């Protein structure tokens, strides 16, 4: 079962993804990557449609 923070995170991510798509971006994928400032995390990639 998810806790409240996980539910809010996925809701926020869903909102952000829908916003990007409405602004003309296409979802290209997700990668689990390491960055020094965040540690291991999921990065979502979008590309602007021209």
């Amino acid at each position: 079962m998810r806790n409240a923070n996980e539910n809010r995170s996925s809701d926020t991510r869903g909102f952000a993804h829908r916003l990007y798509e409405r602004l003309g971006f296409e979802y290209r994928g997700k990668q689990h990557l390491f960055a020094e400032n965040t540690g291991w995390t999921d990065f979502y990639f979008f590309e602007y449609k021209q």
Side-chain angles (χ1 to χ4, degrees):
M1 182 174 180
R2 292 176 152 181
N3 67 34
N5 288 337
E6 289 174 342
N7 286 334
R8 183 171 182 220
S9 176
S10 67
D11 291 343
T12 302
R13 184 171 41 244
F15 173 79
H17 286 198
R18 288 189 303 275
L19 177 62
Y20 270 52
E21 289 168 350
R22 276 189 266 144
L23 292 173
F25 291 84
E26 288 184 342
Y27 176 72
R28 292 297 184 198
K30 176 177 85 169
Q31 289 285 315
H32 191 70
L33 301 170
F34 181 82
E36 287 190 29
N37 60 336
T38 62
W40 287 100
T41 191
D42 291 330
F43 287 85
Y44 296 87
F45 295 92
F46 289 82
E47 182 177 16
Y48 186 68
K49 295 185 286 187
Q50 293 183 341

